[in-house]
Amino acid sequence: MTLEAIRYHNGTLEILDQLLLPGETKYIPILGVEDGWKAINKMQQVRGAPAIAIVGCLSLAVEISKEEFEKKKTLRREVEGKLNYLISARPTAVNLKIAADELMSLVNALDKDDSISATEMQTRFIAEIEAMLEKDLADNKAIGMAGCNLILNAAVSNGSNGGGGGGDGTVRVLTHCNTGSLATAGYGTALGVIRALHASRRLEHVYCTETRPYNQGARLTAYELVHDKVPSTLICDSAVSALMKTRSIAAVIVGADRVAANGDTANKIGTYQIAVTAKYHSVPFYVAAPFTSIDFRIANGENILIEERPDREMTHVGKYRIAAPGISCWNPAFDVTPAELITAIITEKGVFKPNELRAMEVS
């Protein structure tokens, strides 16, 4: 049975409450934009840049489908206001902003077309959002196959043993945070690459980090790997350097919340230090993300807004305090990996070196 983080059918939306995983599997209803905003803002009920965009837009489709509009301009104003509100839930991930801009372009075009009624405008707008689910799944599978081929070809070039494999054509890889079915419409980005490697019977082993402070790797990635019976091992975030020194790793594969035009990439906190370690140990470091994660309006990573989270995420596990009372905390949710540490960026449109992205801006 395939893991589903998002369930949508005929105007009804439910999401898997990832705050409860792996102990409990529970779906919660999203009845409109306010529910969508709260789920996204909590970071754990909905997380992962692709899923944030899909759930945010679907929450608007749910709300719009319940209303009747006599005038197209009224619909346009409501869509614009609610999309702007949804964007404010998570400022670092760019996918929702790009999706919102595309939806506004559609709404503006439909509003100006006198041959289209308010009802037809409403129907077409909702259909456009519903198509996002199917497209994201197809894009993820394309990313998975491209990444699989890239890693295997690189391993062959480096030699089976020296290339992070067991000597039988298989490879060992490392991933950080969660980038699978729980972070997308299905299959996943970086975890999609790992799924493709596993399906090709060329994956010897995957190591996943715990991903402190919210343990998305321990709770979610490990959950998906066990569910899919992928050979895997959980490691502490602080064990990455030791792993690369003692085990031959073919590649690091991570996701992205936003990629700047020069290839600098914002991802879950801890990604940057893994990239530094990979560079030292000559391990290829790959970013897997949909093309919509690339924000050509941002020249470099210094201009990416980094969200800071509450102290409690660091000081407590559930209801239990693990840090000394009175200690101050710094809790950025993301960090930025410089482009020079990234071997390649894997998208549904192909594989690019960071310095090749600008040429793709108009494509």
Side-chain angles (χ1 to χ4, degrees):
M1 183 174 122
T2 303
L3 285 171
E4 283 185 296
I6 304 168
R7 289 179 175 175
Y8 177 84
H9 183 68
N10 289 341
T12 300
L13 175 62
E14 293 181 319
I15 60 169
L16 184 62
D17 189 345
Q18 297 183 35
L19 283 168
L20 303 177
L21 292 174
E24 180 181 354
T25 301
K26 178 182 177 182
Y27 287 85
I28 57 177
I30 301 296
L31 303 179
V33 167
E34 188 63 36
D35 287 347
W37 190 96
K38 290 177 180 177
I40 293 168
N41 183 253
K42 284 184 178 181
M43 195 171 76
Q44 290 300 302
Q45 288 182 315
V46 177
R47 28 148 317 279
I52 287 170
I54 292 168
V55 170
C57 293
L58 282 175
S59 74
L60 177 55
V62 168
E63 189 159 318
I64 292 294
S65 68
K66 299 174 184 175
E67 302 179 37
E68 293 183 5
F69 297 90
E70 294 183 3
K71 296 182 178 180
K72 292 195 292 182
K73 292 194 181 301
T74 303
L75 173 57
R76 189 194 67 79
R77 284 195 297 268
E78 181 161 346
V79 166
E80 182 176 26
K82 290 181 176 178
L83 283 174
N84 286 334
Y85 176 61
L86 284 165
I87 291 168
S88 71
R90 293 296 303 280
T92 301
V94 71
N95 305 58
L96 180 54
K97 178 65 167 65
I98 291 176
D101 289 345
E102 292 176 350
L103 289 173
M104 276 310 305
S105 295
L106 172 64
V107 165
N108 288 331
L110 294 174
D111 184 33
K112 293 176 182 177
D113 190 338
D114 293 335
S115 68
I116 294 174
S117 67
T119 300
E120 186 177 356
M121 177 178 172
Q122 180 182 15
T123 300
R124 289 180 61 175
F125 176 75
I126 293 171
E128 185 73 13
I129 293 176
E130 291 174 341
M132 292 174 65
L133 273 167
E134 185 175 342
K135 182 180 186 304
D136 187 66
L137 182 58
D139 288 349
N140 290 344
K141 289 185 176 180
I143 290 169
M145 186 54 63
C148 173
N149 292 335
L150 177 66
I151 290 172
L152 292 178
N153 289 337
V156 169
S157 298
N158 293 331
S160 59
N161 289 321
D168 57 356
T170 60
V171 294
R172 292 185 290 268
V173 299
L174 169 70
T175 192
H176 182 60
C177 199
N178 178 255
T179 55
S181 296
L182 300 177
T184 63
Y187 202 70
T189 52
L191 203 50
V193 174
I194 291 166
R195 283 191 164 100
L197 285 167
H198 181 56
S200 69
R201 299 185 179 182
R202 300 290 297 278
L203 178 70
E204 181 192 303
H205 211 81
V206 55
Y207 295 89
C208 63
T209 56
E210 59 186 346
T211 325
R212 282 283 296 150
Y214 243 21
N215 295 309
Q216 295 98 324
R219 293 189 302 107
L220 307 178
T221 299
Y223 180 83
E224 292 201 47
L225 293 171
V226 170
H227 179 277
D228 286 10
K229 296 181 174 57
V230 177
S232 51
T233 297
L234 176 68
I235 65 170
C236 292
D237 290 359
S238 54
V240 169
S241 294
L243 176 75
M244 290 186 185
K245 182 179 180 180
T246 59
R247 310 284 175 90
S248 181
I249 302 297
V252 177
I253 178 74
V254 301
D257 284 83
R258 184 174 297 207
V259 180
N262 72 333
D264 291 351
T265 297
N267 193 49
K268 183 57 57 185
I269 190 72
T271 303
Y272 179 23
Q273 63 193 24
I274 295 175
V276 171
T277 299
K279 184 77 170 181
Y280 179 82
H281 290 91
S282 300
V283 176
F285 185 93
Y286 299 116
V287 171
F291 203 78
T292 52
S293 293
I294 303 170
D295 191 346
F296 291 105
R297 298 166 297 186
I298 293 181
N300 55 60
E302 293 182 2
N303 298 314
I304 297 177
L305 178 63
I306 299 298
E307 177 185 356
E308 294 192 16
R309 302 291 297 178
D311 291 1
R312 185 179 176 85
E313 293 180 359
M314 294 177 63
T315 60
H316 289 70
V317 173
K319 62 181 180 180
Y320 299 102
R321 173 176 278 277
I322 60 170
I327 187 69
S328 61
C329 298
W330 180 52
N331 186 20
F334 308 92
D335 56 28
V336 175
T337 299
E340 57 265 28
L341 297 179
I342 299 171
T343 307
I345 297 171
I346 306 162
T347 77
E348 74 278 12
K349 293 186 177 183
V351 177
F352 308 98
K353 294 181 179 179
N355 61 9
E356 295 174 335
L357 291 182
R358 291 186 189 276
M360 294 295 296
E361 182 172 1
V362 297
S363 66

